[in-house]
Amino acid sequence: MKLTSRSVSPVAIVSTVAAAALGASLMLAANTPANAATTLGAAAAQSGRYFGTAIAAGRMNDSTYIGILNREFDMVTAENEMKMDATEPQQGRFSYGNADRILNHARNQGKRVRGHALAWHSQQPGWMQSMSGSSLRNAMLNHVTQVATYYRGKIYAWDVVNEAFADGSSGARRDSNLQRTGNDWIEAAFRAARAADPGAKLCYNDYNTDDWSHAKTQGVYRMVQDFKARGVPIDCVGFQSHFNAQSPVPSNYQTNLQNFANLGVDVQITELDIEGSGSSQASNYDRVTRACLAVTRCAGITVWGIRDTDSWRAYGTPLLFDGSGNKKAAYNSVLNALNAGGPGPGPTTTTTTNDPIPGGCTASVSLNSWDNGFVATVKVTAGSSALRGWQITTTLSSGTVTSSWNANRSGNSGTVNWTNVDFNGAVGAGQSTEFGFQGTGSGAGLNPSCTAS
Ligand code: G3I
C-alpha cells in the first residue's frame, strides 16, 4: 500500500499509541530534577535496589563495553563462566580463570556479583552428562559445595538451581539426569549451598515463570511455598524475563512478583531482555522496571548483556544499548522509571503487611496439600504494637473451605475473610497466634493479608 499524508499504516497507529503510553515517562525526562541520578546503578540505588548486567569474559578487552559496564551497572553476572561446564570441566578439577576475571573486575569496581549457576540440567560438563543415580547426586553436591566454598563471602546471590521445571501445562519438574536422582535434589543443592556460603542469598531461577496464570509458575510457587514451610534454605526467586512478541511482558507481571514475595522470599529480575525497538520496546522496559519498583521485596534487575550485539539473541535487538554503545529509548525509559522511584526493599520478614494502625500485623500461611485438598495454617503476627483484634483476607483460586478452627469466617470461596475469636484477638507486640482451615482445591496462592484492630 502506498502511504499518503492522509493514510495511516497500522504500524504507525501502533507506534503512536505506544508513544502516547510512553509520554508520561518521556515527559519526566523534561521535568527531571537536577539531582536525578544519571546512571542505572545510581538510579536503582535510590530505592535500595541494584541494576546489573551479565557480561562475558571474552569481551572484557573491549573498551566501549567495559566503559559502559563500569559507568552504568552495580551488579554483575557471569553470562557463562560460572556454569558447571566452565568451573568443573573435568571431574574434581576446578577451573575459575574466566569466572575470577569477571568477579575480580566487578569487585575492584565496587560492584556486587550474582553467581550463575550452581546446578542445572544444561551446560553440564561431558563427564557429568553421562552420570546417573547416587554418583551423579554426589557429584552435583560436591560441585555446589566446592564452587560456593571457593567464592564464599564474595557472591551476593547464587542461582543455586536453574530451570528445573517443565514448560507446558504440567506444572511438574523437568525430566533430567539430576531430577532422576530423586525429587529432593533441589533442596539438597540448597542445603549444600547454605552450608558452603551462609552469607549468600540462595535463589531458584527460571524462565517462563513471569506469568502468574502459567502452570510452570504455579509449580515453582508450590515448591517455594513447600521449602519455606519445611525450612529448606531459600532466600530468593529469580525471574529471567526474556520477552519477545511470542512471550510478551504478562499483564500480571507485578502481581506475579508480589505473590512470590508474599511467600517470604526476595524476588529478582535476573536475565531481562525484551526484543523490539523504539517506543514499544521502551514502554515494555518501563513496565518491567515499574513492576519491580512497586514490589518492596524486588531487590533488583539484571539485564542479559550490555549492547544489542552482545546478546545471545542479537537479532532481536533486546538490550538497552545499541551495537555502538549508544543509549536507546529503552535505556531512557528505565532510567526515568528508576528515578521516579518506589518503596525500597523491606525487611526479610514473611508475607503481606497491611498497616492501618501503628505497628500493624503480618500473616503467613503454611500449607499441607494433597491431590484435591489442603490444610492451611495461618500465623498472625503483631507488629511493634499489641493487637486487640485482627482480620485476615485469603484468596482461594479454586475450591471451597470445608472446615475451620480458631477464627470466624465470612465466605467459603474466592475472597474469604477471617476475624479473631474471643480468645485469640489479643496478641502482644511481636507475638503470634494461629488459626487454620481445610478446603478442596490446591490452596495455592492464598496470600493472607492482615489488618490490625
Ligand atoms: O565460546 C565458544 C566459542 O569458542 C565457540 O567457537 C562457539 C561455537 O559454538 O561456542 C562458544 O560458546 C558459546 C557460548 O554461549 C559463548 O558465546 C556456547 O556454544 C553457547 O552454548 C553459549 O550460549 C549461552 C547459553 O546460555 C547456553 O549456556 C549464552 O551465551 C547465554 O547467554 C545463555 O544464557 C542463558 C542462561 O544461562 C540461563 N537462562 C537462559 C539464558 C539464555 O539462553
Side-chain angles (χ1 to χ4, degrees):
M1 178 178 73
K2 182 169 183 273
L3 291 180
T4 67
S5 59
R6 284 165 201 262
S7 65
V8 181
S9 76
V11 173
I13 294 170
V14 170
S15 335
T16 308
V17 171
L22 192 63
S25 61
L26 293 182
M27 276 168 59
L28 192 64
N31 298 332
T32 300
N35 60 354
T38 56
T39 65
L40 299 169
Q46 296 171 120
S47 68
R49 294 181 173 81
Y50 63 82
F51 204 97
T53 182
I55 67 167
R59 298 183 202 276
M60 290 177 70
N61 293 329
D62 178 332
S63 58
T64 304
Y65 185 78
I66 283 293
I68 299 172
L69 169 69
N70 292 350
R71 186 184 75 222
E72 295 287 344
F73 299 97
D74 59 359
M75 183 73 75
V76 171
T77 306
E79 186 175 357
N80 290 300
E81 293 78 353
M82 289 190 186
K83 292 175 181 175
M84 300 176 100
D85 58 351
T87 50
E88 196 178 356
Q90 293 161 318
Q91 187 168 15
R93 302 181 76 162
F94 291 83
S95 161
Y96 296 110
N98 284 329
D100 281 352
R101 200 162 158 224
I102 290 175
L103 178 124
N104 291 334
H105 179 87
R107 286 166 57 81
N108 289 340
Q109 291 280 324
K111 304 177 193 306
R112 290 182 291 172
V113 176
R114 291 193 82 262
H116 173 79
L118 291 173
W120 190 14
H121 69 276
S122 180
Q123 303 306 117
Q124 292 181 2
W127 59 266
M128 185 179 274
Q129 292 172 27
S130 56
M131 289 178 83
S132 62
S134 59
S135 53
L136 173 60
R137 171 68 70 93
N138 290 336
M140 180 274 289
L141 291 176
N142 184 54
H143 181 88
V144 170
T145 299
Q146 296 295 328
V147 177
T149 300
Y150 180 82
Y151 285 119
R152 181 183 178 124
K154 297 179 178 170
I155 300 288
Y156 161 70
W158 267 113
D159 291 332
V160 177
V161 170
N162 197 37
E163 301 177 1
F165 276 74
D167 293 310
S169 59
S170 71
R173 297 283 183 87
R174 172 195 296 277
D175 179 47
S176 72
N177 60 350
L178 290 169
Q179 181 62 29
R180 289 192 290 273
T181 69
N183 205 50
D184 62 344
W185 75 274
I186 298 183
E187 61 194 84
F190 274 83
R191 290 198 168 97
R194 178 68 98 226
D197 186 355
K201 288 182 184 287
L202 304 183
C203 300
Y204 176 78
N205 189 52
D206 215 328
Y207 67 92
N208 281 352
T209 50
D210 311 293
D211 187 321
W212 178 243
S213 69
H214 284 178
K216 184 173 177 180
T217 308
Q218 292 296 315
V220 174
Y221 181 88
R222 284 192 293 273
M223 178 187 75
V224 176
Q225 191 173 47
D226 171 55
F227 280 11
K228 293 299 287 184
R230 291 190 295 112
V232 177
I234 184 169
D235 306 305
C236 37
V237 176
F239 298 85
Q240 295 186 9
S241 304
H242 294 293
F243 296 121
N244 59 17
Q246 291 70 46
S247 177
V249 183
S251 57
N252 59 26
Y253 186 69
Q254 180 183 321
T255 302
N256 194 50
L257 296 177
Q258 186 65 62
N259 286 346
F260 275 87
N262 289 349
L263 291 175
V265 288
D266 285 353
V267 292
Q268 303 178 8
I269 298 171
T270 51
E271 303 182 14
L272 178 63
D273 54 14
I274 310 177
E275 290 185 28
S277 62
S279 57
S280 70
Q281 181 182 50
S283 97
N284 281 323
Y285 265 104
D286 174 73
R287 279 188 52 212
V288 170
T289 307
R290 285 174 191 274
C292 178
L293 290 166
V295 174
T296 303
R297 291 199 70 163
C298 182
I301 299 174
T302 295
V303 288
W304 205 240
I306 296 181
R307 299 163 301 195
D308 284 336
T309 44
D310 303 319
S311 169
W312 66 294
R313 46 181 188 176
Y315 56 85
T317 61
L319 295 172
L320 301 179
F321 296 86
D322 70 18
S324 305
N326 300 311
K327 296 170 181 174
K328 295 167 58 181
Y331 171 95
N332 291 323
S333 73
V334 170
L335 184 67
N336 290 339
L338 292 171
N339 272 323
T348 54
T349 52
T350 49
T351 68
T352 319
T353 306
N354 195 345
D355 221 0
I357 66 162
C361 56
T362 59
S364 61
V365 67
S366 103
L367 199 65
N368 185 6
S369 55
W370 53 93
D371 254 351
N372 188 33
F374 66 90
V375 168
T377 304
V378 180
K379 185 174 183 183
V380 180
T381 304
S384 52
S385 312
L387 304 177
R388 292 183 300 272
W390 42 263
Q391 183 193 323
I392 303 290
T393 300
T394 56
T395 309
L396 263 72
S397 52
S398 63
T400 57
V401 175
T402 51
S403 65
S404 59
W405 48 96
N406 294 352
N408 300 308
R409 170 166 52 92
S410 132
N412 74 345
S413 63
T415 301
V416 181
N417 291 311
W418 309 84
T419 54
N420 61 276
V421 287
D422 285 342
F423 60 82
N424 63 8
V427 184
Q431 303 295 302
S432 299
T433 188
E434 290 185 341
F435 72 94
F437 57 97
Q438 180 161 353
T440 60
S442 72
L446 287 168
N447 294 336
S449 66
C450 185
T451 305
S453 54

